[in-house]
Amino acid sequence: MSQTMDKLAELAGNLWWSWDTQATALFAGLAPSRWPQVLHNPVALLAELTPMEREHIQSDPLTGEIVDAVYERFLAWMKQEDTWAAGRGLPRVLYLSMEFGLHESMRIYSGGLGVLAGDHVRSASDLGLDFRGVGLLYSSGYFRQVLDDGKQLAAYPNVDRTRLPITPVLGRDGAPIRISIPDGEREYQASAWRLQVGRVHLYLLDANLPENPPELREVTRSLYGGDTRMRLRQEILLGIGGVRLLQALGESVDVVHLNEGHCAFAPMEMLRQAQALDPSATHAQIRERVVFTTHTPVPAGHDRFGWDMVDAHLGAWRSQAGWSPGALMDLGRVDPSDLDEPLCMTVLALRMARASNGVSALHGQVSREMWAKVDTPKPIGHITNGVHPTYWMAPAMQEMLDTHLPKWRAHWQDRAFWTEGLATLDDGALWQTRQTLKEQLLTQVHAHTGQRLDPKALLIGFARRFAPYKRADLVFSDAQRLQKILEGGASLVFAGKAHPRDTLGQELLARVVRWSRDPRFKGQVAFLPGYEMQHGRWMTSGSDLWLNNPRRPREASGTSGQKVVLNGGLNCSILDGWWPEAFDGDNGFAIGDTRDWADTQAQDVHDAEALYTLLEKEILPSFQDSSDWLRRVKHSMATGVPVFNTHRMVAEYAETMYRS
């Protein structure tokens, strides 16, 4: 193999390429027609190159120069010593998460929790933290969405691991590592794979091994698939397996970060191991090494397991540790004296962490109220979510800023820089960039739906999980009024999935699909099927206005609107999640108010009226006056970009949560 092909293979093996625009363009340019077919996966692309294509790549001087330039920049970046974290004396961190949204070709994510975890890892890499992650490698991942007569069907295609940028994790003997995982009176085996995310090692545990019984090989078949027993087994594998993996690798960490309650068995395994070495080790000592982030503001959204199931799967493990039969259950009960109360993974995590946080100021408040009866070491705080800046900012926007706002990449948390720089940004350049991004989205809409939407109209985007509380169909509450609004110069594009077991969510999605096919909205409303991360990039970069209308306060944070800010779009949102911290009256639009509603039907009526009035009286008039719209866009970017990014977020975790 030539040096050029060797360098391409090395670049493809590290997801750094996915947030470097030149590296992404390099791979896309090798075989442009095939790039979308392989889900923008360079490992798969290189495997599919014909001998003639390989020969051209190896012999073409221009291609060689481009590969050399990208490769040299990659090496320099990997060896960079003057990172943000350098010299700060920060601890070594293990980050556990059930899902990681890193790229559409790595189907180990379902939605917001995973995408946030992926952005967290990317920024930890960029900032130079001593950081590693552990998750699960699913053989079919989360489901792929197929629409049949407007209804969602779930497909679970198997993943070909030879086409992924992963390598087997080897033990000290040079053989693929094996980790023992408890399951009742027996233990089964898990292997591990390494995924390189910039400077960060992400380890993915895998139970699909020939030596395991068929029902245990299924543990890593699909994300959030199966029944409650399967969920418990997955969380045992993640928590206990993650700790055992690091022990087998001889890697020590100072802090274990539990990303949601799924990971709460990790500190219990840490305690078991500590007491095996020193019987005097206590919960308090382990707790000093654990931090916890909760993402769910709804009590029903937290995993709970009854005594019979927990004892069946962890009874032997608990007995080996010398703990009483009720010890584990009691730690996970709000009221330990209530023997009928199931083990709640969030309660277990709260009790086993020295510090816990919600993901926005409002969510922190909601979480403190929700878990007020749980005796935690300190009150639940908050660190507001962000998004990884260069992964979610479209190449066209990055190129425009390179020309008109030099050195912007070095000023992610500098509000004065963004305020001053955007004040002098040329309106024509910004408007043209916005039109380019909109055209890219409209091209995808036409390719996938056959619909041609007006490029001059205000393009309103809505893309997220189709959970009922997110009210995807709120804008259709008064179809006649909406029709007039759209005829006045607007269009709507929807995308998203409903969980396969969420019947109400699937019905909601089907209603929105039907609205998109209603003759009254022809050429004005579209539903983009097959939602994956690339759809999220198209939608958040191409939409002029981002619509977000959950029932307050059900949105923990939400980050899609933050991606829109990066790309020069505006938000129109309920004052929920991150938006109350961002909205200042002039950098977007707020639907409704902050009152508490006991009557959800009355809340829906009120919020729909507020949304229609905003569209009619403020949003459309502003868009039709391009100077006013661009003034708002610049103000939105100046107030949002330096605050709602994961560089700021991860730095805040490092300084306030990881540092004891």
Side-chain angles (χ1 to χ4, degrees):
M1 187 180 291
S2 72
Q3 285 190 349
T4 296
M5 295 304 299
D6 287 341
K7 291 174 180 177
L8 285 170
E10 186 174 345
L11 288 169
N14 188 318
L15 285 181
W16 169 86
W17 69 264
S18 67
W19 70 93
D20 182 89
T21 55
Q22 293 180 40
T24 305
L26 165 62
F27 285 115
L30 294 179
S33 62
R34 205 171 307 151
W35 182 239
Q37 298 172 7
V38 297
L39 290 178
H40 315 115
N41 177 357
V43 175
L45 183 74
L46 295 179
E48 289 192 5
L49 291 175
T50 66
M52 185 177 297
E53 288 171 328
R54 287 177 176 272
E55 176 61 31
H56 173 74
I57 290 169
Q58 292 167 179
S59 61
D60 180 54
L62 180 57
T63 301
E65 289 177 11
I66 296 172
V67 171
D68 288 345
V70 172
Y71 184 74
E72 290 303 317
R73 197 173 71 262
F74 166 66
L75 292 183
W77 183 87
M78 289 290 288
K79 296 174 183 177
Q80 181 184 354
E81 296 182 353
D82 59 339
T83 63
W84 174 86
R88 293 178 182 266
L90 295 170
R92 296 163 294 180
V93 179
L94 168 63
Y95 183 84
L96 293 162
S97 183
M98 185 66 81
E99 51 175 303
F100 288 88
L102 293 159
H103 189 260
E104 55 267 20
S105 62
M106 285 298 307
R107 304 191 66 255
I108 54 174
Y109 67 93
S110 70
L113 175 71
V115 172
L116 184 280
D119 283 356
H120 195 122
V121 171
R122 274 185 281 264
S123 280
S125 172
D126 285 343
L127 297 180
L129 271 66
D130 190 346
F131 195 92
R132 71 279 298 136
V134 171
L136 304 183
L137 181 67
Y138 304 98
S139 56
S140 61
Y142 198 52
F143 78 97
R144 287 188 176 173
Q145 182 187 68
V146 179
L147 294 184
D148 179 36
D149 193 26
K151 296 179 181 179
Q152 174 181 281
L153 301 180
Y156 291 90
N158 286 329
V159 174
D160 182 351
R161 295 172 186 179
T162 65
R163 294 163 69 89
L164 299 179
I166 56 175
T167 55
V169 176
L170 306 180
R172 296 171 186 175
D173 60 357
I177 202 164
R178 291 291 187 270
I179 307 298
S180 294
I181 308 298
D183 188 68
E185 297 296 329
R186 61 184 172 177
E187 292 201 340
Y188 68 96
Q189 300 297 299
S191 63
W193 301 80
R194 179 183 288 107
L195 174 64
Q196 200 66 31
V197 187
R199 303 179 180 102
V200 170
H201 296 318
L202 177 58
Y203 299 111
L204 301 174
L205 293 165
D206 180 13
N208 187 19
L209 300 175
E211 58 263 41
N212 287 332
E215 72 273 16
L216 294 176
R217 296 183 67 171
E218 291 288 300
V219 171
T220 51
R221 180 178 181 273
S222 62
L223 174 60
Y224 304 139
D227 55 13
T228 303
R229 186 178 304 277
M230 182 61 71
R231 175 67 69 90
L232 176 59
R233 281 174 164 158
Q234 289 183 332
E235 297 185 7
I236 291 170
L237 174 59
L238 176 64
I240 296 177
V243 172
R244 291 185 177 184
L245 174 63
L246 254 66
Q247 181 188 43
L249 292 174
E251 292 191 21
S252 62
V253 295
D254 304 303
V255 175
V256 175
H257 185 170
L258 312 177
N259 188 44
E260 194 53 283
H262 311 133
C263 321
F265 291 131
M268 299 307 298
E269 173 65 11
M270 293 165 62
L271 178 63
R272 187 197 67 81
Q273 292 186 14
Q275 291 181 338
L277 296 173
D278 179 3
S280 67
T282 66
H283 288 84
Q285 291 171 327
I286 297 302
R287 193 165 55 206
E288 285 304 305
R289 298 175 54 203
V290 179
V291 298
F292 168 55
T293 299
T294 177
H295 294 261
T296 308
V298 184
H302 297 262
D303 289 344
R304 290 175 169 84
F305 304 105
W307 158 261
D308 290 343
M309 188 174 292
V310 173
D311 190 59
H313 290 277
L314 288 175
W317 171 81
R318 181 202 63 230
S319 297
Q320 291 167 6
W323 299 334
S324 66
L328 178 61
M329 294 294 296
D330 288 349
L331 280 170
R333 288 170 170 150
V334 175
D335 180 4
S337 67
D338 182 359
L339 299 185
D340 292 325
E341 184 181 340
L343 179 147
C344 174
M345 296 296 282
T346 299
V347 174
L348 182 60
L350 287 168
R351 286 216 175 98
M352 291 303 298
R354 63 171 162 80
S356 302
N357 70 286
V359 290
S360 70
L362 179 58
H363 179 231
Q365 175 187 332
V366 169
S367 297
R368 287 189 293 276
E369 294 170 357
M370 185 187 307
W371 305 112
K373 294 182 180 179
V374 178
D375 50 327
T376 57
K378 62 177 70 172
I380 299 171
H382 82 273
I383 294 177
T384 301
N385 282 347
V387 296
H388 187 269
T390 52
Y391 183 85
W392 292 105
M393 184 184 286
M397 181 61 72
Q398 294 190 39
E399 292 168 10
M400 190 272 291
L401 291 178
D402 285 339
T403 300
H404 296 274
L405 200 63
K407 302 182 180 179
W408 61 275
R409 299 169 195 270
H411 294 275
W412 282 116
Q413 298 183 58
D414 188 342
R415 300 189 194 194
F417 173 86
W418 287 92
T419 300
E420 295 167 7
L422 289 165
T424 60
L425 181 63
D426 179 66
D427 280 2
L430 179 56
W431 183 260
Q432 183 56 51
T433 301
R434 285 296 316 142
Q435 293 305 110
T436 297
L437 296 178
K438 182 192 290 190
E439 289 283 2
Q440 291 173 356
L441 172 56
L442 294 180
T443 298
Q444 295 297 335
V445 169
H446 179 248
H448 289 85
T449 72
Q451 289 248 47
R452 290 190 183 276
L453 305 186
D454 184 359
K456 296 180 181 179
L458 171 73
L459 184 56
I460 305 170
F462 182 105
R464 53 186 45 83
R465 182 166 56 93
F466 271 65
Y469 80 87
K470 293 178 184 285
R471 301 186 297 185
D473 62 347
L474 184 70
V475 73
F476 297 105
S477 300
D478 185 337
Q480 186 174 358
R481 190 170 177 184
L482 176 61
Q483 184 180 8
K484 291 180 180 179
I485 290 170
L486 297 181
E487 289 173 350
S491 54
L492 278 160
V493 178
F494 290 84
K497 292 178 176 179
H499 191 282
R501 291 198 298 272
D502 183 358
T503 303
L504 293 177
Q506 292 183 58
E507 292 173 355
L508 173 60
L509 187 147
R511 286 199 299 274
V512 172
V513 172
R514 286 198 297 273
W515 281 118
S516 74
R517 297 173 178 177
D518 190 302
R520 289 172 292 179
F521 300 125
K522 183 176 178 60
Q524 296 172 324
V525 179
F527 185 93
L528 192 59
Y531 191 63
E532 298 289 349
M533 283 184 74
Q534 73 266 29
H535 296 74
R537 292 196 299 274
W538 298 334
M539 292 283 291
T540 56
S541 63
S543 298
D544 294 311
L545 184 76
W546 197 248
L547 180 59
N548 182 43
N549 44 230
R551 289 194 183 100
R552 189 180 188 276
R554 303 286 297 276
E555 191 81 86
S557 175
T559 58
S560 56
Q562 298 170 354
K563 299 160 191 168
V564 173
V565 171
L566 285 172
N567 289 287
L570 292 180
N571 279 272
C572 176
S573 176
I574 295 288
L575 286 163
D576 198 10
W578 72 286
W579 191 230
E581 298 170 57
F583 179 63
D584 67 1
D586 203 33
N587 60 355
F589 306 92
I591 305 169
D593 49 40
T594 59
R595 77 180 76 176
D596 294 326
W597 292 86
D599 184 341
T600 57
Q601 185 175 2
Q603 184 180 13
D604 292 351
V605 171
H606 173 271
D607 290 345
E609 172 62 32
L611 172 57
Y612 290 138
T613 301
L614 267 178
L615 288 166
E616 293 164 343
K617 304 296 185 184
E618 294 187 46
I619 294 173
L620 273 174
S622 177
F623 184 75
Q624 288 159 1
D625 177 0
S626 61
S627 61
D628 182 68
W629 188 264
L630 291 176
R631 177 188 62 80
R632 292 176 184 267
V633 166
K634 291 179 182 180
H635 185 50
S636 170
M637 295 181 72
T639 55
V641 169
V643 179
F644 299 101
N645 65 76
T646 43
H647 288 5
R648 183 274 310 160
M649 184 195 83
V650 171
E652 195 171 342
Y653 273 105
E655 294 286 13
T656 66
M657 294 280 280
Y658 299 160
R659 203 190 284 277
S660 59

